[in-house]
Amino acid sequence: MTDGEEFSERKVKVVLLGEARVGKTSIITRIIKDTFDYNCLSSSGASFSQKLMVFDDLSTKVNFLIWDTVGQEKFRSISKIFYRDAAIAVLVFDITDSNSFQEVKNFWINEVKTNIGGKYILGLAANKSDLVDKADVSEQEIKDFAQKEGLIFKFTSALNNTGINELFQDLGKKYLDPEGFKAEENQRQSIVIDRATINSESMKKTKKKCC
């Protein structure tokens, strides 16, 4: 950004979906207030919050209009009004509860596909990553699902404040610049592959030397 250049501002509706008690409200509280409420309880009715994030590279501010079902998920009767005009949907599950992951795979993603019209972006929050030692879902299973469905995926923890800001940053980048985000994502994949190749070659050399 050059001196005097003004940022444009975009408003984007985001819906968070998933089973009760997976941490949707805690994720929102963390990204909005940068706090964690140990006494957070599920309640009825939808809640609405806003988060303004700056994307310097794109000279744009994004005002995320975030909707949380807050307790309605157990009734499976979320109004279609809740989905209307949503550009981003974030599927949330608890890594210590395999059922919450299965419900994302078998119910919530289909809710999005059925009720959100037009183009939309899907994110996946593997939440409560601070409890990784109690994980009930394998990392590979999560990654396979994310890749199959084209989801922007992050391990998140509202308690430790990890992954949440990064998830919304990636969602915002893909919304503002889909092609640029795709190129950036491909570059990240290439780096991972290159590292794997280097590690593989190093292992071969090590084996030769040890013999």
Side-chain angles (χ1 to χ4, degrees):
M1 181 183 177
T2 58
D3 291 341
E5 183 181 351
E6 292 186 3
F7 278 16
S8 61
E9 183 174 324
R10 303 278 294 275
K11 291 184 178 181
V12 182
K13 181 177 178 179
V14 182
V15 293
L16 264 69
L17 301 167
E19 297 298 284
R21 302 184 186 281
V22 295
K24 298 187 301 296
T25 304
S26 292
I27 286 175
I28 293 174
T29 301
R30 173 59 75 179
I31 196 166
I32 300 297
K33 300 179 180 179
D34 195 23
T35 59
F36 182 81
D37 183 2
Y38 286 91
N39 299 312
C40 180
L41 300 173
S42 294
S43 57
S44 60
S47 70
F48 170 74
S49 305
Q50 297 185 61
K51 173 64 176 182
L52 187 68
M53 298 183 77
V54 178
F55 294 80
D56 290 309
D57 293 346
L58 299 169
S59 299
T60 307
K61 297 177 182 178
V62 174
N63 190 5
F64 290 102
L65 312 177
I66 307 172
W67 289 86
D68 178 12
T69 52
V70 228
Q72 292 187 26
E73 56 287 275
K74 63 184 177 182
F75 302 112
R76 298 291 169 89
S77 60
I78 297 173
S79 171
K80 289 186 177 181
I81 296 174
F82 182 82
Y83 298 97
R84 185 179 298 167
D85 300 323
I88 297 172
V90 179
L91 305 171
V92 185
F93 71 95
D94 175 354
I95 66 168
T96 70
D97 179 4
S98 61
N99 179 67
S100 69
F101 179 58
Q102 294 303 319
E103 290 302 311
V104 161
K105 292 174 62 177
N106 300 322
F107 180 79
W108 291 109
I109 194 167
N110 291 323
E111 279 287 282
V112 172
K113 293 176 179 179
T114 301
N115 293 294
I116 297 183
K119 293 182 179 180
Y120 56 85
I121 297 167
L122 276 173
L124 180 66
N127 200 36
K128 304 188 183 180
S129 60
D130 51 284
L131 300 174
V132 66
D133 57 322
K134 298 180 180 179
D136 195 26
V137 186
S138 74
E139 181 176 350
Q140 191 59 52
E141 187 178 4
I142 300 168
K143 288 181 176 179
D144 288 346
F145 172 63
Q147 184 175 15
K148 176 186 174 184
E149 297 292 346
L151 313 179
I152 295 177
F153 155 64
K154 288 286 187 295
F155 280 102
T156 61
S157 170
L159 176 63
N160 290 346
N161 191 21
T162 56
I164 298 172
N165 187 71
E166 292 82 356
L167 176 60
F168 275 82
Q169 283 283 342
D170 278 358
L171 291 167
K173 286 178 183 177
K174 186 170 183 178
Y175 175 79
L176 294 171
D177 184 17
E179 290 305 315
F181 180 82
K182 185 177 180 181
E184 185 179 313
E185 196 172 41
N186 288 338
Q187 186 178 23
R188 287 199 296 260
Q189 290 284 351
S190 296
I191 291 171
V192 171
I193 293 171
D194 287 344
R195 284 176 177 168
T197 302
I198 291 169
N199 290 338
S200 177
E201 291 300 321
S202 297
M203 287 296 291
K204 288 179 182 178
K205 290 178 181 178
T206 301
K207 287 181 180 179
K208 287 180 180 179
K209 288 181 179 179
C210 72
C211 295

